[in-house]
Amino acid sequence: MLVLLVLLGILAFAAWPYTVVYRLDRAVQANNRHELEKLLDLAAIRQQLKQQLDQNIEDHTEQLDNLVFRFLRGGVREIGAVSLEAIDADWVQAVLTSAQHNAPASRRRLLGCFSFACFERPTRFLVRAGELGNQPVHLYLALRRGQ
């Protein structure tokens, strides 16, 4: 009996992210902003994009360290920070919808607008919209304490 309960628990745990992917795909397909807002952590999306922006700025201007480029770097960071506030469920909807066109038709039946989904580790699940090499969008589902 205990073994059966453990197996059912493992199956439920393994199925959890796929149900979220299904709900996310349905929300994207139906253009359901309310459901998208419930499923997304917009603050985490903005933070990740800010980190990518900062890294790109550093990578491309690292060799150019003079007063003018330091000024320009600060301006780009400021504009980027303001622009990131505009990221909302509609923006995510548009990004995922455009990525849907890159997903192979054979996978659309199973994963909807997503082309790949798997566990990276027990508390982190990777979902990709679009194909590698074709500017895919990566989403991460994370199991957090108390949620």
Side-chain angles (χ1 to χ4, degrees):
M1 184 64 169
L2 181 61
V3 172
L4 181 62
L5 289 175
V6 169
L7 287 175
L8 286 175
I10 291 170
L11 282 173
F13 179 77
W16 156 77
Y18 291 100
T19 62
V20 175
V21 168
Y22 176 79
R23 288 176 54 206
L24 187 57
D25 178 59
R26 291 294 126 224
V28 169
Q29 298 301 324
N31 198 17
N32 186 339
R33 181 187 174 113
H34 179 69
E35 184 68 15
L36 277 175
E37 287 174 345
K38 286 182 0 185
L39 292 169
L40 299 172
D41 183 352
L42 292 173
I45 292 170
R46 289 183 192 112
Q47 181 62 33
Q48 180 63 35
L49 290 172
K50 182 179 181 335
Q51 287 174 354
Q52 288 177 356
L53 175 67
D54 289 345
Q55 186 61 47
N56 285 337
I57 290 169
E58 290 303 317
D59 289 348
H60 290 90
T61 61
E62 193 173 79
Q63 307 89 349
L64 309 169
D65 193 25
N66 63 40
L67 184 60
V68 173
F69 281 103
R70 277 183 266 163
F71 172 75
L72 290 174
R73 257 191 306 229
V76 169
R77 279 196 178 106
E78 186 66 32
I79 291 169
V82 170
S83 299
L84 289 173
E85 291 305 313
I87 292 175
D88 60 3
D90 291 332
W91 180 85
V92 174
Q93 164 79 32
V95 168
L96 291 177
T97 300
S98 69
Q100 177 183 14
H101 300 295
N102 297 332
S106 62
R107 292 188 184 157
R108 284 188 201 151
R109 288 187 202 115
L110 179 62
L111 296 172
C113 66
F114 304 105
S115 57
F116 179 79
C118 75
F119 278 96
E120 277 193 332
R121 53 184 178 242
T123 59
R124 187 171 159 137
F125 190 79
L126 167 67
V127 181
R128 185 179 69 227
E131 289 300 308
L132 288 176
N134 196 11
Q135 297 182 332
V137 176
H138 292 94
L139 301 152
Y140 293 96
L141 306 178
L143 186 60
R144 296 184 191 163
R145 228 181 251 175
Q147 291 184 352

